[in-house]
Amino acid sequence: MGSVNDTSLCVGKTPWWKEAVFYQVYPASFKDTNNDGWGDIPGLIAKIDYLHDLGVDCVWLSPMFESPQKDMGYDISDYQAVFSRYGTLSDVDYLISACHTRGMKLILDLVVNHTSDQHPWFQESRSSKTNPKRDWYMWKPARYDANGNRMPPTNWRSYFAGPTWTWDEHTQEYYLHLYDTSQPDLNWENPECRKAIYDEAMRFWLDRGVDGFRIDTVNKYSKRVDFPDAPVTMPGETDQPAPEMWCNGPRIHEFIREMNEQVLAPYNAVSVGELSNTPLPEQVLPYVSAAAKELDMVFEFSTIRLGTGGPFHGKYLYREFPLSELKQYVATWQQWLEGTDGWHTVFCENHDNGRAVSRFGDDSTAEAWEASAKTIALWQATLTGTIFLYQGQEIGMVNMPKDWPIEAEYKDVESLNFYKEAKASGDVERIRKTEEGLRILARDHSRIPMQWDASPNSGFTKEYSGLFVHGAFRPVLQEDETLFVYVKDDQGFEEGDVQAEKRRKALVVMNFSGKPANLQEHNLDVAATPGCKHGEERLLVTTLRKKDMSSMEAGTLRPWESRVYLSF
């Protein structure tokens, strides 16, 4: 029927998802309708008009499947059932209909690198070494040291701290888990396992009308099956970081092409993959090239991971970074697609990171919060690619208060594991730095309840999609540590779609600091009054409130103020 990057559902030459606004809903904290302390699918249905009015084209619903909730639903025990606190299958069917009747779409989280250890597949797999599903997971015998002590098959360290292997007493072997011990990894080398994934986790939902998937950990399905030890990069530690053993593995593109060919393409299903530990553009392009027929889009995390100490041992040892470093990452991932047939995503928040205003902006005062939140919104809205918003981002939600105690208020399995590991070290400075990092970076911050008393919001209309969604990105003043400036030019990636006489440019000027910024010092001579012209430029938008616009200064940006100038 179709293929990845299919054009049968396009407007003109452009697939619908390129110009769509996606909005991620984390169901546990979005909207609670029965006062049990958990958000639910009826809550999302109740707010579907809010999302429609906001301009959302597609809702991404984070896992709502049956689960023991050891990792907030990313440990699935039944792909075809709904966790009772979230609702029922009928609720999901109604949600699909509610989206479609409003011209919106719905995608689900596809979590198929691993399951819960309570999933029937794993229960069968661990029942005996001869069970037909034994090879649906990754089992290995123990190793022994010179003194006869039992050791895991490899020295690989998991994402949630500790080894990637857990001993199963019943069958006397270890099973692999890149994440929590309760999340055993599926064995994608087994074709029967892959077929079950396609049938039970994908076709079941596509047949019910969902429009595609955000695909969790999409580049981790192919492991090094010779299972070598990782090199020692953390001296003194038993378990070593080993992403090279499972990220972008030897058969990964084969597996994803098969998934597309057998499931995604026949349903014209949109796909956006979570692509971690893939920091080079030449590594990313094979996943999103239209010719490769794998995925429509991916999330690449270089920008959103700024400030972290890496994904393993020191993840929550926060480090300060200059604005120029942020700008360099943005420039790299805005320009890498030029001359290719791939596509990109634009995002600065999700369920795995602290809030953007608390990380990239300033939440120290009400004035700084409002100004920096608007600047971050303008920054995201003027970048090339498909926009993904996370719930609460549209109202500038911030991190939890810094005085909330970690042991009492932080619930995430990753946060707590890293904190426990720091405390077990006995290193007072490491404990202090880990606490500081968690208060900025922890996944818990994005998972607190959505604040429904927000004021109305507004943003860019589709009128400028050719310029902002598709336009070429040209950085300016890259070394400046106060101003973030770039030009968007719709003579960019898809020149055939824009008539020559309608080609436009936009100058985006943002003050990423709490101090006034003089534009003329940087030879940025731009207009100040809305609607007026300066040469061929006019002010398109500013983050100032209307009451403050009469006092705008042409050559000066207020703290955290941003503007977009349009030229023809």
Side-chain angles (χ1 to χ4, degrees), residues 128-387:
S128 75
K129 291 181 180 179
T130 59
N131 186 276
K133 287 188 174 63
R134 181 66 171 184
D135 195 40
W136 283 32
Y137 294 83
M138 309 196 84
W139 294 92
K140 291 287 288 181
R143 294 188 299 178
Y144 294 89
D145 64 17
N147 297 319
N149 298 310
R150 190 182 70 224
M151 299 169 54
T154 70
N155 65 347
W156 302 350
R157 177 183 169 88
S158 82
Y159 284 96
F160 289 173
T164 59
W165 298 94
T166 289
W167 178 252
D168 178 64
E169 192 67 33
H170 177 64
T171 57
Q172 296 288 292
E173 283 191 329
Y174 285 91
Y175 64 85
L176 180 72
H177 53 88
L178 300 187
Y179 296 92
D180 189 64
T181 59
S182 64
Q183 295 169 291
D185 277 42
L186 288 160
N187 181 14
W188 275 70
E189 300 286 329
N190 186 306
E192 292 182 358
C193 178
R194 298 200 304 275
K195 182 179 185 303
I197 289 169
Y198 302 155
D199 287 341
E200 297 192 28
M202 299 180 72
R203 291 190 183 97
F204 175 82
W205 292 104
L206 292 167
D207 286 339
R208 299 186 90 89
V210 303
D211 300 287
F213 301 98
R214 174 267 186 183
I215 308 178
D216 188 65
T217 61
V218 75
N219 60 331
K220 298 176 182 175
Y221 305 155
S222 176
K223 278 80 170 177
R224 284 276 302 272
V225 293
D226 53 341
F227 297 105
D229 270 345
V232 176
T233 56
M234 291 167 44
E237 298 288 337
T238 302
D239 309 310
Q240 300 294 318
E244 68 276 13
M245 302 300 174
W246 60 71
C247 283
N248 312 308
R251 298 186 66 189
I252 190 62
H253 293 291
E254 173 191 345
F255 291 155
I256 297 177
R257 280 194 298 271
E258 180 186 84
M259 176 193 288
N260 175 63
E261 179 181 319
Q262 295 195 18
V263 186
L264 296 172
Y267 285 89
N268 290 322
V270 66
S271 57
V272 53
E274 180 190 31
L275 202 70
S276 62
N277 297 298
T278 310
L280 301 177
E282 57 266 29
Q283 297 174 307
V284 175
L285 185 59
Y287 290 95
V288 295
S289 164
K293 298 183 178 181
E294 293 188 18
L295 302 169
D296 293 319
M297 303 171 279
V298 294
F299 298 123
E300 196 286 324
F301 294 105
S302 295
T303 302
I304 202 173
R305 295 296 193 217
L306 273 175
T308 65
F312 294 97
H313 184 260
K315 180 174 183 179
Y316 290 110
L317 300 180
Y318 181 73
R319 65 175 184 86
E320 297 283 348
F321 55 89
L323 178 62
S324 55
E325 185 177 1
L326 171 64
K327 292 195 291 187
Q328 184 55 57
Y329 278 117
V330 172
T332 295
W333 292 103
Q334 281 288 286
Q335 296 181 300
W336 72 288
L337 286 176
E338 293 189 44
T340 76
D341 62 348
W343 192 242
H344 192 48
T345 56
V346 176
F347 69 104
C348 64
E349 285 196 18
N350 62 22
H351 63 292
D352 282 335
N353 293 273
R355 290 289 184 173
V357 180
S358 299
R359 298 180 59 207
F360 303 114
D362 184 352
D363 62 3
S364 61
T365 67
E367 293 77 14
W369 161 77
E370 180 179 339
S372 64
K374 288 180 177 179
T375 281
I376 290 170
L378 185 146
W379 165 44
Q380 295 292 286
T382 56
L383 294 179
T384 299
T386 299
I387 293 179

